[in-house]
């Protein structure tokens, strides 16, 4: 079981929330509507799919959770000198202090461990990419620009001069305020500005990417997947068919679920990738019927349809991209039922509390999901076209289109980073020790197909 290690003054749940940073979200809307408007505006008279409900609950410009946030992304004035701390207690005391001084909800790992976190990512790119061609990098949801600056700094100092001179770094950012902040952060080094640009748009909109770009490139996504909308499917018992879950508003403000036969194409595609078994096939149907009658058990399953849509867009626009993503592989204390269920949490007066139902996320709560990295790999292969080709009966010897690997954050940083820089004097290392429920996913195209 992976658990985020807790500091002395925070619970493990609170620490996870503090380190958590959602991306690809509209921070430019900072209105403060009355809570009474939340459910009325999120769900009107027409039922909506769960993914649309979650998207509105998080991102609606008027009543979405992130639209209510008064504090922007946390930015540290200077890097933390981990080697100056005696151990964990001293580090946690410092962490508590900077949160109170900053009055923000979270600092991202790339911010807490700057520049070393970004340097590890840059090193993994330099070791993997073909440096004989110009290096092109896209970052989705670049936050305050700390990752971009760290990567450009590292490449300027450690790569051949021609690599830095010809690099192109593009941030795809939906927030206008963060886009401006990124320019400011990266611009601290004058020479970076000619290599860096921000495109203020939604990364999941295929039109924004323009024509297909056949050139090799890298796509970076840090803490993006956990806040992408998911769909929910439901089955009454072991033999009942799966149903789409919709959200409707009843009796004024009350929200409830509505079940319909599976018709949505995105849900169908995700179910195909997950390879959900048909409840009426396989094994003895008679025995299943008996078992369902004696021990009826409802089933819920959360489908990462938002991730699927994003990967389809990226593979369609950038077929030769290499991908590096990091996110939560496990979330503690989830109360909502179903495989890959989200944590729905709200914060008030400095303390966090979790809801028992995602329907309670009516603009006042964060909704974030664990990433199933095995499923992420399957979706990656599916969207690249390889899995579809195999299902069409093409020979297996054709080979996979991508090489992929998932690594715990500690393993990734030990391989590509400089762990000594984030270690305290007694050997405690928060980057390696406190992020045991996070992973990195690397995916690169191969040339073993004909």
């Amino acid at each position: 079981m992976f658990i985020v290690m807790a500091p002395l003054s925070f619970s493990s749940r609170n620490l996870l929330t503090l380190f958590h940073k959602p991306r690809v979200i509209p921070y430019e809307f900072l209105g403060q509507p009355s809570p009474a408007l939340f459910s009325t505006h999120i769900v009107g008279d027409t039922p909506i799919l769960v993914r649309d409900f979650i998207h509105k609950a998080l991102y609606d410009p008027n009543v979405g959770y992130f639209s209510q946030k008064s504090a922007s992304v946390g930015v540290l004035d200077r890097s933390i000198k981990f080697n100056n701390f005696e151990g964990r207690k001293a580090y946690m005391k410092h962490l508590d202090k900077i949160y109170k001084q900053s009055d923000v909800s979270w600092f991202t790992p790339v911010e807490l461990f700057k520049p070393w976190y970004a340097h590890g990512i840059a090193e993994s790119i330099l070791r993997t990419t073909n440096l004989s061609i110009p290096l092109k990098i896209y970052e989705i949801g670049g936050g305050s620009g700390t990752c971009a600056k760290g990567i450009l700094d590292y490449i300027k100092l450690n790569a051949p001069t021609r690599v830095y001179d010809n690099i192109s770094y593009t941030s795809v950012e939906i927030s206008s305020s963060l886009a401006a902040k990124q320019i400011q952060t990266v611009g601290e080094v004058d020479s970076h500005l000619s290599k860096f640009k921000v495109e203020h748009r939604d990364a999941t909109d295929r039109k924004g990417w323009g024509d297909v770009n056949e050139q090799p490139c890298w796509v970076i996504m840090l803490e993006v997947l956990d806040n992408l909308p998911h769909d929910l499917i439901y089955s009454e018992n072991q033999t009942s068919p799966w149903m789409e879950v919709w959200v409707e508003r009843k009796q004024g403000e009350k929200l409830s679920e509505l079940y319909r036969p599976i018709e949505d194409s995105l849900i169908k595609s995700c179910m195909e990738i997950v390879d959900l078994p048909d409840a009426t096939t396989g094994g003895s149907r008679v025995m299943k019927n008996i078992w369902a009658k004696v021990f009826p058990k409802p089933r819920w399953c959360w489908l990462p349809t938002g991730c699927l849509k994003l990967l389809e867009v990226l593979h369609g626009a950038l077929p030769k991209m290499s991908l590096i993503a990091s996110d939560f592989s496990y979330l503690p204390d989830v109360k909502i039922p179903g495989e890959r269920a989200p944590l729905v949490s709200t914060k008030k007066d400095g303390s966090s509390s979790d809801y028992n139902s995602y329907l309670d996320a009516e603009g006042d709560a964060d909704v974030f999901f664990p990433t199933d990295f095995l499923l992420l790999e399957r979706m990656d292969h599916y969207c690249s076209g390889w899995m579809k080709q195999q299902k069409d009966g093409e020979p297996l010897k054709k080979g996979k289109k991508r090489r992929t690997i998932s690594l715990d954050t500690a393993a990734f940083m030990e391989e590509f980073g400089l762990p000594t820089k984030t270690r305290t004097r007694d050997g405690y290392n928060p980057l390696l020790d406190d992020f045991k429920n996070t992973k990195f996913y690397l995916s690169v195209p191969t040339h073993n197909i004909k």
Side-chain angles (χ1 to χ4, degrees):
M1 179 180 295
F2 298 133
I3 301 176
V4 176
M5 301 298 290
L8 295 180
S9 57
F10 299 116
S11 68
S12 61
R13 175 64 196 90
N14 287 338
L15 183 59
L16 183 148
T17 301
L18 292 175
F19 287 157
H20 171 66
K21 158 66 171 68
R23 309 275 184 160
V24 199
I25 53 178
Y27 276 91
E28 62 267 36
F29 301 106
L30 297 175
Q32 298 290 338
S34 166
L37 297 176
F38 289 155
S39 63
T40 301
H41 282 225
I42 290 176
V43 182
D45 296 330
T46 303
I48 59 176
L49 283 166
V50 169
R51 69 169 179 262
D52 296 322
F53 172 79
I54 291 174
H55 187 274
K56 286 190 174 186
L58 291 177
Y59 308 132
D60 185 275
N62 297 312
V63 296
Y65 173 70
F66 295 117
S67 302
Q68 314 306 312
K69 302 298 290 184
S70 59
S72 62
V73 182
V75 179
L76 295 176
D77 293 334
R78 60 183 65 87
S79 299
I80 297 175
K81 305 297 183 183
F82 296 91
N83 300 150
N84 292 341
F85 298 123
E86 179 60 33
R88 188 171 189 271
K89 183 176 181 180
Y91 166 69
M92 292 303 179
K93 183 178 180 180
H94 178 75
L95 189 64
D96 190 12
K97 178 182 177 181
I98 62 176
Y99 267 104
K100 290 179 178 178
Q101 290 177 341
S102 302
D103 191 30
V104 297
S105 297
W106 54 74
F107 288 99
T108 64
V110 75
E111 188 70 32
L112 284 175
F113 302 103
K114 69 179 179 184
W116 316 115
Y117 196 92
H119 286 186
I121 295 172
E123 176 63 20
S124 71
I125 292 175
L126 290 179
R127 287 197 210 173
T128 311
T129 197
N130 179 4
L131 296 179
S132 66
I133 59 178
L135 179 58
K136 189 174 184 63
I137 299 174
Y138 293 94
E139 184 180 1
I140 297 177
S144 62
T146 297
C147 181
K149 180 180 182 299
I151 289 177
L152 290 170
D153 286 346
Y154 188 87
I155 291 175
K156 182 177 183 179
L157 293 173
N158 295 279
T161 302
R162 60 177 172 78
V163 175
Y164 177 75
D165 288 344
N166 294 301
I167 193 173
S168 170
Y169 198 116
T170 302
S171 172
V172 180
E173 177 59 60
I174 200 170
S175 165
S176 59
S177 59
L178 288 179
K181 178 62 179 176
Q182 290 169 24
I183 294 291
Q184 179 184 351
T185 300
V186 174
E188 292 174 5
V189 178
D190 290 339
S191 61
H192 290 348
L193 285 178
S194 63
K195 331 289 184 186
F196 180 78
K197 67 177 179 178
V198 180
E199 295 182 359
H200 179 213
R201 59 184 175 86
D202 183 351
T204 64
D205 184 355
R206 176 62 182 87
K207 294 180 181 178
W209 293 93
D211 296 334
V212 175
N213 188 338
E214 294 286 351
Q215 295 299 312
C217 64
W218 278 88
V219 175
I220 300 172
M221 300 190 297
L222 306 181
E223 295 83 52
V224 169
L225 302 176
D226 55 77
N227 270 134
L228 291 179
H230 284 50
D231 271 292
L232 179 62
I233 57 176
Y234 168 79
S235 175
E236 186 177 358
N237 56 51
Q238 297 90 321
T239 60
S240 298
W242 289 104
M243 307 284 283
E244 296 175 354
V245 181
W246 293 63
V247 179
E248 63 178 349
R249 180 165 56 90
K250 285 186 175 181
Q251 300 175 2
E253 298 298 315
K254 186 176 181 181
L255 299 177
S256 63
E257 292 181 342
L258 176 67
Y259 310 119
R260 294 177 175 176
I262 302 291
E263 294 181 353
D264 181 77
S265 59
L266 200 55
I267 292 178
K268 287 182 178 179
S269 295
C270 211
M271 291 180 68
E272 179 184 0
I273 299 169
V274 175
D275 196 21
L276 287 172
D278 190 329
T280 61
T281 62
S284 170
R285 184 173 180 180
V286 174
M287 288 301 298
K288 283 188 175 182
N289 285 329
I290 294 175
W291 188 260
K293 289 180 180 179
V294 177
F295 300 105
K297 184 180 180 181
R299 300 178 295 167
W300 291 268
C301 183
W302 291 87
L303 301 174
T305 46
C307 176
L308 177 60
K309 179 181 179 182
L310 178 58
L311 288 175
E312 285 181 339
V313 167
L314 292 175
H315 278 290
L318 309 169
K320 294 184 180 179
M321 73 164 180
S322 295
L323 174 66
I324 180 167
S326 70
D327 231 304
F328 297 110
S329 58
Y330 169 81
L331 296 175
D333 305 323
V334 174
K335 300 178 180 180
I336 296 170
E339 189 173 2
R340 294 176 294 272
L343 200 59
V344 180
S345 179
T346 187
K347 191 173 184 180
K348 185 176 182 181
D349 299 328
S351 61
S352 297
S353 60
D354 300 335
Y355 287 139
N356 294 319
S357 171
Y358 71 93
L359 294 176
D360 293 328
E362 301 176 21
D364 65 340
D366 193 0
V367 183
F368 50 105
F369 296 81
T371 295
D372 182 335
F373 281 81
L374 289 176
L375 178 54
L376 175 62
E377 182 183 43
R378 289 177 63 85
M379 289 192 295
D380 190 19
H381 287 311
Y382 180 92
C383 294
S384 71
W386 178 74
M387 281 184 63
K388 294 178 183 177
Q389 291 169 351
Q390 303 309 309
K391 288 182 179 293
D392 290 340
E394 295 191 17
L396 290 173
K397 65 181 180 181
K398 188 179 180 81
K400 292 186 177 181
K401 286 189 174 183
R402 305 188 69 79
R403 295 195 306 270
T404 62
I405 186 173
S406 295
L407 295 170
D408 291 340
T409 295
F412 179 89
M413 289 299 172
E414 286 174 334
E415 176 65 29
F416 300 111
L418 290 171
T420 57
K421 298 295 186 178
T422 56
R423 183 182 300 155
T424 62
R425 290 199 292 265
D426 68 355
Y428 163 68
N429 193 322
L431 178 56
L432 305 185
D433 299 336
D434 287 354
F435 290 84
K436 296 188 181 298
N437 66 334
T438 62
K439 288 185 177 182
F440 275 82
Y441 176 75
L442 285 79
S443 170
V444 300
T446 65
H447 306 284
N448 66 341
I449 57 174
K450 297 180 180 179

